[in-house]
DNA sequence: CTTGGGACCTGGCTGC
DNA sequence: TGCAGCCAGGTCCCAA
């Protein structure tokens, strides 16, 4: 699933291809991909626009254009942006051609991804919490956020309005590395636990970016290559296996309807 | 404020 | 072999 490290990798690898290029053709195979606008209008407004820069905010990709508009993409569960794919299959929902001759295909098996074309990016990403890898995101920032919420720490970590970019699998990895039980209440964590949690959040996310994201399910990098971060996972997608530290069988618990995997020995209940 | 549920969506899995 | 039912999870929305 594309979370912060996968979206960051997509941004990093797309940028050299797309920066300074103009959209020469926009083909929408699935009209539901476009939020709140007709396909015709969307294509008309995008054509001949130049991409100045690609940014990431949380799990969103933000394309700054020469016009006053901003193109925002969310990959959701199974979305991927592929550069010059060998063939366009039934999962392709849109194709973009550029002035340098390259083609970028939005591929999305479960069709939950979405594109926005707006004047102000804040209309889409304005309510997101802080970026966990921003230098302004300190243990004290995290402490202030968690103190305000009497909810399971797992639920807090994946709430995009509290912290941006963390999803189900990295939340599980971060909590395992921090030795914190997913059901522990956010406002009950000690300052020591919050410092560890902050450290592990930065470490896990940065390490996953260095590994070009995790290729579980359908995620592939724009080049078509896979990421390698999944090989370091200790609990995510390892259901039925044993803890790499203490050999206790990993357990599953549902937090806010999301499967949460943890080691009952390394991450004991409070 | 939190909590729980449904909706979206399709491939993969289970059980009959 | 086929089919129904459920599950996966990012996000939004609604009711209690």
């Amino acid at each position: 699933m594309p979370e912060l490290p996968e979206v960051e990798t997509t941004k990093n690898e797309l940028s050299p291809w797309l920066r300074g290029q103009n959209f020469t053709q926009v083909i929408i195979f699935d009209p539901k991909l476009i939020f709140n606008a007709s396909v015709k209008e969307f294509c008309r407004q995008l054509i001949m626009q130049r991409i100045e820069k690609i940014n990431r905010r949380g799990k969103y990709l933000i394309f700054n254009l020469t016009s006053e508009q901003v193109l925002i993409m969310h990959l959701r569960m199974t979305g991927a942006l592929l550069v010059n794919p060998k063939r366009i299959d039934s999962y392709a929902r849109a194709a973009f051609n550029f002035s340098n001759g390259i083609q970028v295909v939005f591929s999305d098996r479960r069709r939950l991804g979405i594109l926005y074309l707006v004047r102000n990016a804040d209309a889409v990403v304005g309510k997101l919490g802080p970026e966990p890898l921003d230098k302004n995101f300190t243990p004290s920032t995290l402490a202030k956020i968690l103190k305000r919420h009497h909810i399971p720490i797992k639920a807090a970590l994946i709430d995009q309005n509290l912290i941006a970019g963390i999803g189900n699998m990295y939340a599980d990895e971060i909590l395992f590395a921090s030795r914190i039980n997913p059901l522990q209440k956010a406002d009950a964590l000690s300052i020591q636990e919050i410092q560890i949690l902050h450290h592990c959040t930065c470490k896990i996310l940065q390490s996953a970016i260095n590994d070009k994201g995790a290729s579980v399910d359908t995620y592939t990098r724009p080049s078509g290559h896979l990421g390698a971060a999944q090989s370091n996972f200790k609990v995510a997608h390892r259901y039925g296996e044993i803890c790499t530290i203490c050999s206790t069988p990993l357990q599953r618990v549902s937090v806010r309807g999301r499967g949460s995997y943890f080691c009952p020995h390394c991450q004991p209940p409070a």
Side-chain angles (χ1 to χ4, degrees), chain A residues 16 18-19 39 58 62 65 78 84-85 89 101 163 184 193 199 205 221 225 270:
Chain A
L18 298 189
R19 205 172 194 169
V39 167
I62 302 176
L65 308 174
T78 55
N84 290 336
D89 60 20
I163 304 163
Q184 172 83 261
E193 285 176 312
H199 174 76
L205 293 177
R221 291 155 51 193
H225 293 102

Side-chain angles (χ1 to χ4, degrees), chain A residues 240-251:
Chain A
E241 299 182 34
I242 59 172
C243 176
T244 54
I245 306 289
C246 71
S247 297
T248 302
L250 299 178
Q251 277 189 11

Side-chain angles (χ1 to χ4, degrees), chain A residues 57-115:
Chain A
R57 179 79 172 91
K59 301 172 193 169
Y60 294 83
L61 282 169
I62 302 176
F63 295 76
N64 288 341
L65 308 174
T66 31
S67 72
E68 65 280 11
Q69 289 190 307
V70 181
L71 173 66
I72 302 182
M73 299 191 183
H74 198 304
L75 303 174
R76 293 281 176 93
M77 309 294 297
T78 55
L81 290 167
L82 306 174
V83 172
N84 290 336
K86 288 192 185 73
R87 55 185 283 266
I88 293 181
D89 60 20
S90 60
Y91 299 139
R93 302 181 69 198
F96 305 94
N97 294 337
F98 292 93
S99 41
N100 57 354
I102 76 145
Q103 180 177 58
V104 172
V105 170
F106 191 107
S107 176
D108 186 12
R109 200 178 69 186
R110 275 159 68 181
R111 300 179 179 275
L112 290 166
I114 196 150
L115 307 192

Side-chain angles (χ1 to χ4, degrees), chain A residues 56 154 176 188 202:
Chain A
R56 179 193 57 75
K154 169 69 184 287
F176 176 81
C202 300

Side-chain angles (χ1 to χ4, degrees), chain A residues 111-142:
Chain A
R111 300 179 179 275
L112 290 166
I114 196 150
L115 307 192
Y116 307 81
L117 192 56
V118 292
R119 289 186 181 277
N120 184 355
D122 275 350
V124 178
V125 300
K127 288 183 177 168
L128 292 178
E131 284 293 323
L133 294 180
D134 192 289
K135 64 180 187 307
N136 295 324
F137 183 76
T138 63
S140 127
T141 315
L142 181 58

